[in-house]
Amino acid sequence: STMFLVGLSGGIASGKSTVVAVLRELGCAVIDADVIAREVVQPHSKAHQQILQHFGTGILLENGEINREALGNIIFSQPEKRRLLNSITHPEILKEMLKQVLKYFVLGYRYVILDIPLLFETRGLTRFMKYTVLVYCDPPTQLVRLMRRSGLGAAEAEARISSQLPLDEKRKWATHVIDNSGDRESTRRQVLRLHARLEDSLDFLWARLAVGTAVAALGGLAFLLLRHFIS
């Protein structure tokens, strides 16, 4: 029995959610790093309770959830607080990701997609993926889409895009690129072709999957998820 990891990433307004939606329609196993980072700090969770003990109730929203902006202001200005928060959340994030990977292995999936927004920001994580996929769109299209989606002016939208690693730079590192510069049907056809290629790939042993996932997580994945969560 074999299974391998596929890392999926993109950029702001590049259309990653569109690609993920198609993959889910195809029945692919997708682990969303953003979702996990948020779930492990939900009210009544172990991490949530520990965070309140150390940071107080001033970081809560009215619904009891953590105010990411307030917490982010604290940890970025106080390194010791950041280390404390990391020590609380890292084990929970790692535990949940490994649980989901193992679940899909037991269910017999050919491959598992790890949807990680900051995959290409740290080259260390990509080595544990059999393939890496970038959802790309050309810079002018990315700018227009972000302005339309967020109601931002050109200067604000450009500033947000500039705060991330450029898609053209990430493209150099990806083993597969989904060009989402065109219409949805063009993107869908590319995803279908990618899925077919991944289904035919059988050269990544499950033992390496388990070891690689653990090492990757211990090597910094949890920190990156946390940083994205509070950004």
Side-chain angles (χ1 to χ4, degrees), residues 1-204:
S1 178
T2 57
M3 188 175 78
F4 55 89
L5 291 176
V6 179
L8 175 69
S9 195
I12 187 170
S14 70
K16 182 163 62 68
S17 59
T18 299
V19 170
V20 169
V22 176
L23 289 168
R24 290 189 186 279
E25 288 177 11
L26 294 170
C28 299
V30 181
I31 298 176
D32 190 324
D34 266 353
V35 171
I36 291 177
R38 295 170 189 269
E39 286 180 345
V40 299
V41 296
Q42 285 299 300
H44 308 300
S45 68
K46 177 181 177 181
H48 185 274
Q49 294 172 2
Q50 292 179 331
I51 290 171
L52 291 187
Q53 290 175 6
H54 294 282
F55 293 88
T57 58
I59 60 168
L60 291 181
L61 298 170
E62 292 184 1
N63 61 3
E65 294 183 1
I66 291 174
N67 185 324
R68 294 182 295 159
E69 182 178 357
L71 184 57
N73 291 336
I74 294 173
I75 68 170
F76 282 126
S77 61
Q78 302 181 56
E80 71 281 2
K81 294 289 188 180
R82 180 168 64 249
R83 289 191 290 269
L84 173 60
L85 184 62
N86 291 345
S87 70
I88 294 171
T89 58
H90 287 185
E92 302 304 311
I93 294 172
L94 172 59
K95 184 191 307 181
E96 183 57 32
M97 291 200 73
L98 291 177
K99 281 170 56 179
Q100 292 193 28
V101 169
L102 290 174
K103 176 188 72 175
Y104 289 123
F105 170 68
V106 171
L107 291 174
Y109 278 79
R110 185 70 53 82
Y111 64 93
V112 175
I113 297 168
L114 294 179
D115 179 356
I116 305 174
L118 297 175
L119 176 65
F120 293 105
E121 272 70 5
T122 170
R123 296 296 301 276
L125 292 178
T126 58
R127 75 183 69 175
F128 300 104
M129 310 295 169
K130 176 61 181 176
Y131 303 109
T132 54
V133 181
L134 174 69
V135 181
Y136 174 88
C137 70
D138 60 75
T141 300
Q142 184 182 21
L143 178 62
V144 170
R145 286 176 177 170
L146 180 58
M147 291 172 61
R148 183 182 304 139
R149 184 184 76 183
S150 304
L152 298 172
E156 292 177 296
E158 288 176 348
R160 292 199 182 185
I161 292 173
S162 298
S163 69
Q164 299 184 338
L165 194 65
L167 288 174
D168 283 323
E169 185 68 22
K170 296 180 181 181
R171 188 170 190 166
K172 300 174 184 177
W173 300 337
T175 57
H176 295 81
V177 176
I178 301 294
D179 192 335
N180 190 40
S181 303
D183 56 30
R184 286 179 177 267
E185 185 55 35
S186 172
T187 299
R188 183 180 180 82
R189 287 196 298 269
Q190 294 177 67
V191 176
L192 292 176
R193 288 196 295 269
L194 173 64
H195 176 60
R197 292 184 64 180
L198 294 176
E199 283 289 296
D200 289 338
S201 180
L202 295 172
D203 55 354
F204 207 55

